[in-house]
Amino acid sequence: MTEARHPRLPQDPRFYETVLDLVPTPVLVVNADGTVSYGNQALLELSGWTLDDGIGMQMLDAVHPDDLPSVMEAYQGVASASANDATTNGPWLPIRFRIIARDGRIIPMEATGVNALGDGAVDGIVYHVRNCRDDELLAEVFAGVASHDPVAQGCAPLVERLALPPHAMAVAVFEQHANGTARCVVASDDVVANLPATTVSPVPWAGLSTEPARTELDMLPADVAATLREAGFGSVFHAGAHSPDFDMTLRLVACTSVDHPSVQGPISQITQARELLSLIATKAHNDRTIASNAMRDDLTGLPNRLGLSHRFDRIMATTDDCAVMFIDIDRFKPINDVYGHAAGDHVLATIADRLVRAVRPDDFVSRIGGDEFVVVLTDAAGRLANTTVRQLADRIIAVLSEPIGYEGQTIEVGASVGIALGHHRNLEELIAKADGAMYRAKRAGGDRHHVSIDSAA
């Protein structure tokens, strides 16, 4: 039997009914036979049910078939408890399951039940219900951060998380670069996705500040404000996160409707989203750094063999013709023995610098090991084979033969250059041909170049 209400509490039952409907947390009451006897407004909004089709329905009819056994077991456990047990033991442990909403959506939920079957006023099991989709999306954000593509994989669930009720914001994440360019990574709304976002745009989310902020439409450029008003938006929230090197900024822009309920403050959600964006931006930066280091030679700073392969694929995507020079340094091996390894490293670093200065701006220099370097030239077939490529090879030989100073000593080296020309699109084949040509140049005395006969034909 329900005890009398404390005299200090409101006595009008309508007060409690109104409070329950205003509470943003879904509340559900299920009778002993499994029928729904009550659901507050938050539950109806979550499930899509109405009072007409929701009240009186069998609760188990809305449960995902795969989750029925565990839900039935938990329900029977609560229902079979005595009234005395219910009032002394408090809430049962929460159970997670999925319901099928009225519109067919599958919603992950967590319900914590209290047995009030012995209470004459309620005579049911009272459930506090929580939508777990937010938890799942947050887990997907962290999984995305750990993926090979943290920006795309991490930002997508973050945007979905803010777009779903109760946040219900129209969201886009932009990737802004120091060179002034920007791209929309992911968006839940086309209008927001097409907002100006480059670093030169006259909008507040294009500046250096990444702090969470709210901007009223009157503060925006007239054309931007008009576009947002026409779409029914009333406010814009934005925040960002710089990568550690400030080369890239992830910028989140979220718009709320004119009548947005703001059940959970947008600023607090944007603040949390900014923290997640910071994780994503940092992970993306670290991935780029690791990838760059894996493709770069530590001593000279030039691309290594992996970097050469990566760049070659990009080069061949834009041209049909190229030439490969295989450069081996003459008289290098005695340097380590005579002057020490530090001197050898100095010579290699100097050679790398001279090579970069000797070639054309579009040519690509790499160190593939020891004293071996590879230069890739584009558009070097046909008429250019006997002019530009050969002239460049002679210039490289001349530059590398200039004396190198080291701790008061003068070190002299030379270069044997092998050249492979033609329409080959296989890097390893071109390197093999250029390597063979280089050995012919070295056997002829070094300090010269040789063109692969079959590639020159």
Side-chain angles (χ1 to χ4, degrees):
M1 190 73 179
T2 304
E3 296 181 3
R5 190 172 290 121
H6 192 284
R8 299 292 298 273
L9 293 175
Q11 302 298 307
D12 189 343
R14 291 174 299 180
F15 171 85
Y16 300 95
E17 182 179 349
T18 301
V19 167
L20 278 172
D21 272 338
L22 290 176
V23 168
T25 302
V27 176
L28 170 70
V29 180
V30 180
N31 290 339
D33 61 359
T35 59
V36 175
S37 61
Y38 176 79
N40 68 347
Q41 188 61 35
L43 180 77
L44 299 179
E45 291 176 358
L46 173 65
S47 64
W49 300 333
T50 65
L51 292 175
D52 291 333
D53 57 29
I55 306 303
M57 71 174 292
Q58 276 288 329
M59 178 59 199
L60 295 179
D61 290 343
V63 175
H64 192 283
D66 293 344
D67 297 335
L68 276 174
S70 59
V71 172
M72 290 179 66
E73 180 181 359
Y75 174 78
Q76 290 168 356
V78 176
S80 62
S82 67
N84 290 334
D85 291 337
T87 56
T88 57
N89 292 343
W92 264 248
L93 290 175
I95 180 174
R96 289 205 173 194
F97 60 96
R98 292 162 293 173
I99 68 166
I100 303 174
R102 189 184 186 193
D103 60 3
R105 288 178 297 121
I106 297 177
I107 306 174
M109 307 182 73
E110 181 181 84
T112 304
V114 176
N115 190 344
L117 288 169
D119 188 311
V122 179
D123 194 26
I125 301 172
V126 181
Y127 288 100
H128 162 273
V129 179
R130 187 171 68 87
N131 186 350
C132 294
R133 180 57 180 152
D134 195 62
D135 294 351
E136 292 184 350
L137 288 171
L138 191 58
E140 290 177 18
V141 171
F142 287 113
V145 170
S147 73
H148 69 283
D149 187 4
V151 173
Q153 299 297 321
C155 289
L158 177 60
V159 167
E160 184 180 351
R161 185 169 182 255
L162 294 174
L164 289 175
H167 318 307
M169 293 185 272
V171 190
V173 173
F174 299 94
E175 185 179 280
Q176 301 170 328
H177 294 276
N179 62 7
T181 62
R183 72 180 182 97
C184 179
V185 177
V186 62
S188 66
D189 182 274
D190 290 340
V191 172
V192 183
N194 289 313
L195 288 174
T198 62
T199 53
V200 296
S201 302
V203 289
W205 53 87
L208 289 176
S209 175
T210 59
E211 291 296 319
R214 174 178 179 172
T215 301
E216 299 300 334
L217 300 192
D218 291 341
M219 303 299 294
L220 297 175
D223 57 334
V224 176
T227 298
L228 293 177
R229 284 196 186 93
E230 185 177 349
F233 296 121
S235 296
V236 181
F237 297 84
H238 46 90
H242 297 302
S243 63
D245 60 358
F246 283 83
D247 187 57
M248 184 266 286
T249 300
L250 290 178
R251 190 78 61 167
L252 184 142
V253 180
C255 298
T256 55
S257 61
V258 175
D259 56 352
H260 190 271
S262 296
V263 172
Q264 297 188 29
I267 278 290
S268 67
Q269 296 304 314
I270 297 300
T271 300
Q272 185 184 61
R274 181 194 180 215
E275 295 172 355
L276 295 172
L277 283 179
S278 181
L279 287 176
I280 295 170
T282 300
K283 174 60 162 50
H285 166 76
N286 291 342
D287 285 353
R288 290 194 302 271
T289 301
I290 292 172
S292 177
N293 290 342
M295 293 189 290
R296 192 164 295 278
D297 172 52
D298 291 337
L299 175 63
T300 64
L302 294 176
N304 56 21
R305 196 178 191 102
L306 179 61
L308 168 62
S309 177
H310 180 74
R311 180 62 178 270
F312 184 81
D313 291 339
R314 294 170 58 185
I315 291 173
M316 297 312 294
T318 60
T319 184
D320 291 328
D321 298 324
C322 77
V324 166
M325 289 185 182
F326 195 110
I327 303 168
D328 186 86
I329 307 305
D330 296 332
R331 301 178 292 282
F332 174 77
K333 289 179 174 58
I335 293 175
N336 288 332
D337 298 331
V338 176
Y339 301 100
H341 288 283
D345 290 347
H346 174 74
V347 169
L348 289 173
T350 303
I351 287 170
D353 182 66
R354 290 181 178 180
L355 274 174
V356 172
R357 295 174 185 274
V359 300
R360 302 171 304 172
D362 292 335
D363 297 331
F364 184 73
V365 182
S366 62
R367 179 190 177 206
I368 64 172
D371 59 348
E372 297 175 336
F373 297 81
V374 168
V375 178
V376 178
L377 302 86
T378 58
D379 299 323
R383 181 178 60 84
L384 296 177
N386 294 318
T387 53
T388 303
V389 179
R390 293 176 182 272
Q391 290 173 4
L392 181 57
D394 288 336
R395 183 162 76 241
I396 287 173
I397 293 169
V399 167
L400 297 188
S401 67
E402 295 175 2
I404 299 173
Y406 177 73
E407 294 186 350
Q409 303 289 326
T410 298
I411 301 174
E412 294 185 357
V413 295
S416 295
V417 181
I419 303 171
L421 305 169
H423 299 274
H424 302 286
R425 304 184 70 88
N426 184 287
L427 175 62
E428 296 304 320
E429 181 180 348
L430 282 167
I431 290 178
K433 292 181 181 298
D435 187 24
M438 180 275 296
Y439 275 108
R440 293 187 183 93
K442 191 173 285 288
R443 284 197 296 269
D447 294 313
R448 68 194 65 206
H449 73 261
H450 186 87
V451 179
S452 173
I453 296 175
D454 54 349
S455 69

